Amino acid sequence: MFRRAFWFTTGAATGVWAVTKVQRRLRELAPDALAVRAADKAVDTGHRLRDFALDVRAGMAQREGELQDALGLREPAEPEPPRLAPPSRRPTPIAPNHRTHDPKEDH
């Protein structure tokens, strides 16, 4: 009797575990989940590429400076004149002063 109850319980527990694993895998392979995962990986790859490009630019600038110093091509730095910030918006044109018709003034 106990042996049958043990094996019944073991089988039921194994069935529940298997169904749970299968359901979880099906949710992971659903089109929505795949799209979200692909988008996350694309964003992560974009961040890595941007970081790589910034590292390459910094290394290029450093190496260019080293080469200019070694070849004596670098000129003494002159201070740049201060730049004015561009206007944040265009000025609005001034409209001619038109009077609107007020019916109360007709009397």
Side-chain angles (χ1 to χ4, degrees):
M1 172 91 173
F2 285 114
R3 187 179 288 174
R4 285 185 183 175
F6 170 76
W7 287 114
F8 177 78
T9 305
T10 303
T14 304
V16 169
W17 175 79
V19 168
T20 303
K21 289 291 257 188
V22 168
Q23 290 294 329
R24 187 177 304 150
R25 181 61 70 183
L26 286 176
R27 276 192 301 257
E28 289 175 2
L29 296 176
D32 294 340
L34 290 176
V36 168
R37 192 175 343 159
D40 289 342
K41 287 189 179 197
V43 168
D44 186 44
T45 302
H47 289 304
R48 285 190 207 170
L49 284 174
R50 184 186 60 196
D51 292 342
F52 174 72
L54 291 175
D55 288 345
V56 168
R57 285 183 187 162
M60 256 182 6
Q62 179 183 358
R63 182 64 179 149
E64 186 177 344
E66 291 170 359
L67 290 173
Q68 287 177 351
D69 287 342
L71 297 174
L73 299 176
R74 191 173 287 202
E75 297 177 8
E78 295 179 13
E80 292 185 20
R83 295 183 183 177
L84 296 176
S88 61
R89 62 179 190 163
R90 289 187 274 171
T92 56
I94 300 174
N97 191 4
H98 292 288
R99 294 183 128 208
T100 58
H101 178 68
D102 190 7
K104 293 181 183 175
E105 292 181 1
D106 287 343
H107 293 261

